[in-house]
Every structure is written in structure tokens, then in C-alpha cells.
Amino acid sequence: EIDTAMTNLYKVTDETEKKYISFLDSASYSAYNLGRSVSSLVDQTANWAKLGFSLDEASRLSEISSIYANVGEVDDDTAVKDIVTAIKAFNIEAENSITIVDSLNKLGNEFATDAKSLGEGLRNAASSMAVAGNDINQTLAILTGGGEITQNVGELANGLRVVSMRLRGMKGALQELGEEYEDIESISKI
């Protein structure tokens, strides 16, 4: 499993053999500390590298997505998708991405929702909310507050995405979602 994971990493990165050996040593240590398998951590590193991050950044991000996978009780692919969505939508630097996991975990522990649901909500609504001018904290506040009431953060996030597009008058995007779009005025016209 480790060999297969490393092969996938070799395909998406271009480093020296010495760098790969150092990475694997570090990944083994990190996997033990995080309660994860080495192959899982290497696979996540390859996924992060595919998204355009350097090996060092991808290695750190794989640790962060592993922490999220543990606290959010999500699979590795979902962990990467949820975090990368927030990073890209809200322009969060890779080195600050642990704040996303901290927020998801804190809100999941203190309110009637969980980190997994909030991560799904971010994945569904982050880009629309960011384009509408909301930051990650505002978005998570809306998802948490609404999620406590609806108990379905995923559907709430889909609703936020549609409302956000309606406010911005995005006729084409609404058409793609199968939503009504006739007589939509853009905010700039209003």
C-alpha cells in the first residue's frame, strides 16, 4: 500500500530521491502521531500535490486533512475536498489552513451540528458565498445557525448558493441548476 501510494506521489511531484526518503520518514512519524496509516497520509499528500501544492505544502496539508478526517469522521478524499474548497474560495494560505479545521471542530462541539456537516456545507456554498463578499467566518456562522434549526447543513448550503446567485442576478448559473431565472435583475441594475 505504501509503495502504491508513493508511486502516485512520484507521478505528481518532481523531487530528488533524497527528498522522497526524507518525506517518507516524516510521513511515517506523522502517521503514527495522528493515528493514521502511512499509505493514507502519502495518498493525501499526492492528492494535495495534484491540486498544485509543493511537496512540502502538500505534506503539511495532508496532516491537516488527516486531523479533519479524524475529528470530522470523514474519509480522506472528503477531508481534502472540504479543506481545499475553503482554501481556494476564501484565499486562505496553506500554512493557515489548520484554522479551518479548528473552526469546524469548535463549532461542531459547541452547537447542534458537526464538523462533517459544516465541511459539506462549505463544499457546497463556499465559492458562492465568497463571491458574494462573505468570509469563511460569516459563512460558517450562517451554516451553523441555520444548521441548528434545519438539521441539514448540506441543503441549507445549497439554498445559500441559490440565494447568493439570485442576489447577484446570475441567470446562467441558475439555469444550470434548474432554478427559475426569468425576470431576474442584476444587483448592479437595481
Side-chain angles (χ1 to χ4, degrees), residues 137-159:
N137 294 321
Q138 293 167 332
T139 303
L140 283 172
I142 293 168
L143 292 171
T144 302
E148 280 196 306
I149 296 165
T150 65
Q151 291 297 298
N152 193 330
V153 177
E155 284 185 19
L156 173 67
N158 288 333

Side-chain angles (χ1 to χ4, degrees), residues 59-98:
S59 177
R60 178 65 183 132
L61 287 165
S62 69
E63 292 174 10
I64 291 167
S65 57
S66 290
I67 292 168
Y68 173 54
N70 288 343
V71 300
E73 299 176 2
V74 297
D75 62 72
D76 292 346
D77 289 337
T78 299
V80 172
K81 288 176 187 174
D82 289 355
I83 294 173
V84 76
T85 299
I87 287 172
K88 299 286 187 177
F90 298 110
N91 296 317
I92 297 170
E93 296 295 323
E95 64 265 11
N96 297 327
S97 60
I98 191 66

